[in-house]
Amino acid sequence: MRELQPTPTVIDLIAQRKKQKSLPERRNDPYTLALVIEGGGMGGIISGGMVVALEALGLLETFDQIHAASAGGYAAYLFKNGRTQKGLETYFHGRKHINFKNFFKRDGKVINVPGFTEEVMVNIDPGQMAKQPTPHLYSTNVLTGELTEFSGLTEATEIYNGLHLSALTPVLGGPPVEDHYDGGLRASIPWRQAFAHGATHALVLRSRPYRPHEAHPIISKIDRIGAFLLRRRGLFIPANLVYDYEKNYAKTIADMEDIAEGRFLEAIQVSGTHRRIGITNSRERDLMEGAEAGINKTLDTFKPYGLKLEHDIYIRNHLVHRRD
């Protein structure tokens, strides 16, 4: 009688598939592995750095699905295109896409999400993308408060539209487009959606440093101010999406940690001592530290498995890790 093999952990499964050169269309295991990428405005450079490390390790084809919201969508499509290092440069051009003087104008567009998205799209060529895994992007419908999913995007205009709507920051990004705002309002870390799509294992890339999962009182007050400003601009989106955003985020993390053992979910996140990068932080030093922290944490996670870099890792022409 054939002995049953224990179900591998998420990291074990990734390393196992890499060593076996397993491909999405020809798996020799019964599992469905999802990559889940958190965004967070400019804070997405941390999870973006993590994806840079995954790409350098040659791990794209170990995944069957990618789920992302907000800035996580940029990393998802750059990963598919093998252009994560080049695409990460967009964050360092953030100052030209962020102007607080615009807050007092009619549309209040502090963050130029269309401009940021267009710059990312320079590094996304649908004709050169890997066929698998399939990215699933999420945006929030401001009329219903429910998620809208974008998947199976193959044309440049479709990809741009999905990325734009998924990353459109409430208040600071101006009015909603096609009745949609940032997917992070409803699913800042779309791990639930990954399991709903049949994932048996999920690797979550976190852009926020590790903190105890509780709503910060100051951030909660900022959420309330955000809700007030939205209403003043005539944008009556469901109150719980903005008014209690931080509380909802804390619940997402708590629920994710509760199910992690039973449903094979693991998260990579930087230490709680690391500075959190806010959605409008364009300071180059902070961004560099964030990118390097994400890269280093991911490489440390896979170090015990003996996986080798397939190419050098550069950020801003600065060599971060050299291929052995």
Side-chain angles (χ1 to χ4, degrees):
M1 180 180 294
R2 185 175 178 181
E3 184 177 345
L4 292 176
Q5 296 297 316
T7 303
T9 67
V10 175
I11 305 300
D12 285 345
L13 178 60
I14 295 170
Q16 175 182 300
R17 284 184 170 184
K18 175 60 179 175
K19 291 176 179 178
Q20 294 176 350
K21 299 181 180 180
S22 174
L23 298 174
E25 62 274 17
R26 294 195 303 273
R27 296 292 187 210
N28 52 9
D29 62 62
Y31 310 114
T32 300
L33 173 62
L35 177 65
V36 180
I37 311 173
E38 182 179 11
M42 297 298 283
I45 197 167
I46 294 179
S47 53
M50 294 173 180
V51 178
V52 166
L54 294 180
E55 181 184 295
L57 290 169
L59 298 179
L60 173 64
E61 292 180 331
T62 66
F63 296 99
D64 303 300
Q65 305 171 2
I66 305 177
H67 297 263
S70 188
Y74 299 136
Y77 272 93
L78 290 167
F79 194 22
K80 281 254 302 181
N81 237 112
R83 301 276 288 175
T84 58
Q85 289 191 56
K86 193 66 178 173
L88 209 65
E89 291 287 315
T90 307
Y91 285 95
F92 293 95
H93 306 157
R95 289 184 180 179
K96 74 178 182 182
H97 300 299
I98 299 173
N99 187 345
F100 284 95
K101 293 180 181 178
N102 291 340
F103 183 77
F104 300 99
K105 295 182 179 180
R106 184 175 181 84
D107 64 4
K109 188 184 292 184
V110 171
I111 304 173
N112 180 11
V113 179
F116 196 98
T117 305
E118 287 171 7
E119 188 169 344
V120 172
M121 286 296 298
V122 170
N123 294 291
I124 297 174
D125 181 354
Q128 298 298 317
M129 285 195 304
K131 292 183 179 180
Q132 297 292 337
T134 301
H136 301 259
L137 304 181
Y138 299 93
S139 186
T140 305
N141 185 307
V142 300
L143 302 180
T144 65
E146 298 302 317
L147 280 180
T148 298
E149 179 182 329
F150 301 92
S151 62
L153 308 180
T154 57
E155 301 296 327
T157 52
E158 294 177 328
I159 296 170
Y160 170 85
N161 188 57
L163 292 173
H164 179 200
L165 297 185
S166 182
L168 186 59
T169 311
V171 184
L172 299 180
V177 174
E178 299 176 14
D179 297 324
H180 281 79
Y181 259 146
D182 194 318
L185 277 176
R186 186 69 179 179
S188 51
I189 307 175
W191 61 267
R192 292 186 179 91
Q193 288 66 37
F195 286 119
H197 276 274
T200 58
H201 293 66
L203 177 65
V204 176
L205 306 182
R206 297 279 312 280
S207 58
R208 289 198 193 190
Y210 178 78
R211 300 284 193 278
H213 42 257
E214 58 183 24
H216 192 287
I218 295 178
I219 299 296
S220 294
K221 288 181 180 178
I222 293 174
D223 292 340
R224 287 170 168 75
I225 293 171
F228 170 75
L229 291 172
L230 283 171
R231 294 190 180 98
R232 282 293 298 270
R233 294 176 190 267
L235 306 175
F236 296 95
I237 71 174
N240 68 307
L241 293 180
V242 176
Y243 191 80
D244 286 325
Y245 170 77
E246 192 72 12
K247 186 185 297 183
N248 294 338
Y249 181 88
K251 186 177 187 308
T252 294
I253 301 304
D255 290 349
M256 187 175 76
E257 292 177 354
D258 285 345
I259 66 95
E261 257 187 59
R263 299 183 71 175
F264 299 99
L265 180 151
E266 294 184 42
I268 298 177
Q269 60 190 133
V270 299
S271 165
T273 60
H274 192 278
R275 179 189 294 108
R276 176 179 169 186
I277 298 176
I279 61 174
T280 59
N281 187 343
S282 60
R283 290 189 293 273
E284 181 160 337
R285 186 181 68 177
D286 292 348
L287 297 175
M288 181 64 81
E289 288 179 358
E292 290 191 11
I295 291 168
N296 292 336
K297 184 65 178 180
T298 305
L299 293 181
D300 287 345
T301 299
F302 289 97
K303 190 174 183 179
Y305 297 88
L307 302 184
K308 303 294 185 180
L309 292 181
E310 297 188 354
H311 57 73
D312 297 340
I313 297 179
Y314 283 88
I315 300 296
R316 299 287 281 171
N317 296 318
H318 168 66
L319 179 63
V320 179
H321 285 279
R322 187 181 298 279
R323 176 185 177 185
D324 294 336

